[in-house]
Amino acid sequence: MGRPDGHLRGVLGAQLHLPHYAPEAFGERLRRHAAEPGWEALVAYDSGQPVGYVYANRLAGADDRWWRRTWPEPGSAVVGASTVAVKEMMVRRRRRGRGLARRLHDALLAERPETQVSLMVNPLNQDGKVQALYASWGYGAVGTARSSPEAPVLTVMVRSVRPWVVAGQGGGPSAESGWMTT
């Protein structure tokens, strides 16, 4: 799969100059993640153009690299839970602030069998607004990690895959048209 395909490249455009999102680094990471168990991706389109994406995979338990690099080491309730990790999520700048990231996130999780979801976020991203957004979605910080040598120190966050079930509420997210699942 070489470089990121046109769909992801269209969304990543403004980030390609950063070492973590350079085409070669992103392509290598995408290939590695896509080969991991439970990998799933969604791309959102508007008028045939990609405007956002999210992808995730299932973690392999307490010995997974995700948890091994988290400091301080999360407790057994966290690392022992069946977990899906959101590895990448991005929305084009002009489409931000309209709920697209949340719809992508919720659509990805809607049919996942895991009970817990985790993600890593740069606490400085948009002056902390992204981490605050994830906290508003029910995520809580459990530690910090560095996903790769060229990446910044990230906050590791977790929440239930279906918080409305935990809270005893009915309903949940529904996928909208315009999604592509891979």
Side-chain angles (χ1 to χ4, degrees):
M1 182 189 318
R3 296 176 174 231
D5 71 21
H7 299 296
L8 295 181
R9 182 176 292 278
V11 176
L12 286 170
Q15 304 291 323
L16 293 176
H17 70 285
L18 300 172
H20 188 67
Y21 290 103
E24 295 76 20
F26 184 81
E28 183 281 324
R29 197 169 54 254
L30 182 61
R31 279 190 302 281
R32 183 171 32 88
H33 290 164
E36 294 173 348
W39 189 80
E40 183 177 3
L42 294 175
V43 178
Y45 292 91
D46 182 20
S47 302
Q49 297 298 311
V51 294
Y53 75 93
V54 61
Y55 73 79
N57 68 281
R58 179 176 51 257
L59 296 184
D63 291 330
D64 194 277
R65 179 175 177 254
W66 187 272
W67 300 127
R68 287 192 327 262
R69 65 182 175 209
T70 301
W71 188 89
E73 184 179 325
S76 60
V78 171
V79 300
S82 168
T83 306
V84 58
V86 174
K87 299 285 180 88
E88 297 274 354
M89 180 167 41
M90 193 173 293
V91 173
R92 283 191 166 181
R93 187 176 315 268
R94 71 178 191 276
R95 295 298 306 260
R96 293 179 186 163
R98 302 180 196 174
L100 179 58
R102 179 67 186 260
R103 290 191 310 272
L104 276 165
H105 171 273
D106 290 353
L108 180 80
L109 297 179
E111 301 298 323
R112 295 296 305 200
E114 298 86 2
T115 59
Q116 176 177 267
V117 58
S118 183
L119 54 75
M120 294 183 187
V121 60
N122 183 337
L124 303 177
N125 193 350
Q126 296 182 29
D127 297 320
K129 291 177 186 174
V130 176
Q131 184 168 330
L133 177 69
Y134 296 154
S136 77
W137 295 357
Y139 282 91
V142 296
T144 61
R146 191 170 213 165
S147 61
S148 64
E150 69 276 1
V153 174
L154 305 172
T155 301
V156 180
M157 304 181 84
V158 298
R159 67 158 236 203
S160 170
V161 168
R162 293 172 191 78
W164 60 90
V165 173
V166 172
Q169 302 168 0
S174 60
E176 297 181 11
S177 61
W179 304 110
M180 178 182 83
T181 305
T182 56

